C-alpha cells in the first residue's frame, strides 16, 4: 500500500486530527464573538438589521 508503514500512517492521521482541532475551535470562538457583538449592537441601537444578520 504505497510503501507507508504504520508510523507514517499514524503521523498522517495525527496531522489530520490536529488540523481539525485547530480550525474548528477557532471558527466556533470567532462565530460566538461575532454573534455576541451583533446582539449587543441590536440591543443598544434597536436596529433590526443586526438581528437579521
Amino acid at each position: 500500500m504505497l510503501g507507508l508503514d504504520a508510523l507514517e500512517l499514524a503521523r498522517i492521521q495525527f496531522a489530520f486530527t490536529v488540523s481539525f482541532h485547530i480550525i474548528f475551535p477557532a471558527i466556533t470562538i470567532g462565530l460566538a464573538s461575532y454573534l455576541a457583538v451583533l446582539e449587543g449592537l441590536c440591543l443598544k441601537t434597536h436596529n433590526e438589521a443586526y438581528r437579521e444578520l
Side-chain angles (χ1 to χ4, degrees):
M1 182 187 158
L2 301 176
L4 298 175
D5 61 353
L7 179 63
E8 291 170 341
L9 291 172
R11 287 181 175 168
I12 292 169
Q13 182 182 11
F14 182 72
F16 185 74
T17 303
V18 167
S19 66
F20 275 96
H21 276 87
I22 289 172
I23 292 170
F24 286 126
I27 291 172
T28 304
I29 292 168
L31 181 61
S33 302
Y34 179 65
L35 291 175
V37 168
L38 287 178
E39 184 69 23
L41 287 171
C42 181
L43 292 172
K44 182 178 179 181
T45 64
H46 301 291
N47 186 349
E48 290 298 316
Y50 292 118
R51 186 178 303 276
E52 292 174 8
L53 284 173

